[in-house]
Amino acid sequence: MSNRRIRLLLLTPVMAGSCLVAPAALAWTQASAAPAATCSISGVFENGKVHLSGGGFTPGQAFLSSPTAAGGTFSIAENGGFQMMNVENAQYTVTQANQHTECSGFKGMTTNQDETTQNEQNQNSQNDQNDNGADQDGS
């Protein structure tokens, strides 16, 4: 046998094997390259509510849950994203097909913020009482 034939006999199984492995490797690479679902909470609005948004989800139904705020079923758009305006400032988790995605960005309220909010509410209450009194006096 010539060297050329020997090389051909040895290389043929190797080449055939690589043709079988390549599609599987390519499919695995594409699956791992799929974007992970994300969810985040943006800044707090003046009314104390927040903007909740996410992306990388599968279009269709998902479930929003929170230990301290209302949740429920909602729809993910065809582009895999969602936006919810004016939701309670809380920790949220989006669940879709048994995959749980925690929303980042929740900072909660500090003690100083709680005191400031309470002081503002007390001041508003006093102002309301003063306004009512002025209306009753006719001034």
Side-chain angles (χ1 to χ4, degrees):
M1 272 198 203
S2 71
N3 283 342
R4 182 177 255 189
R5 258 190 182 168
I6 292 172
R7 273 190 249 144
L8 185 59
L9 288 173
L10 291 175
L11 291 177
T12 301
V14 172
M15 295 303 286
S18 66
C19 289
L20 292 175
V21 173
L26 183 61
W28 182 77
T29 302
Q30 289 173 342
S32 66
T38 60
C39 175
S40 63
I41 298 170
S42 66
V44 180
F45 297 119
E46 287 181 17
N47 63 2
K49 304 245 176 147
V50 296
H51 178 192
L52 188 65
S53 61
F57 292 92
T58 302
Q61 294 295 307
F63 186 78
L64 181 67
S65 60
S66 170
T68 59
T73 303
F74 67 101
S75 294
I76 303 289
E78 288 298 315
N79 66 2
F82 71 92
Q83 292 190 20
M84 294 181 188
M85 300 296 284
N86 291 321
V87 296
E88 295 296 322
N89 186 12
Q91 282 183 296
Y92 289 99
T93 301
V94 176
T95 303
Q96 189 179 41
N98 293 324
Q99 295 291 323
H100 306 286
T101 303
E102 290 188 26
C103 300
S104 63
F106 175 70
K107 295 183 180 37
M109 291 181 72
T110 65
T111 304
N112 290 342
Q113 288 173 320
D114 288 340
E115 290 172 3
T116 301
T117 301
Q118 186 63 42
N119 289 339
E120 288 173 354
Q121 289 173 349
N122 290 341
Q123 184 64 38
N124 289 339
S125 177
Q126 279 183 332
N127 289 342
D128 289 345
Q129 288 175 357
N130 290 341
D131 289 344
N132 289 339
D135 291 342
Q136 290 173 356
D137 293 335
S139 29

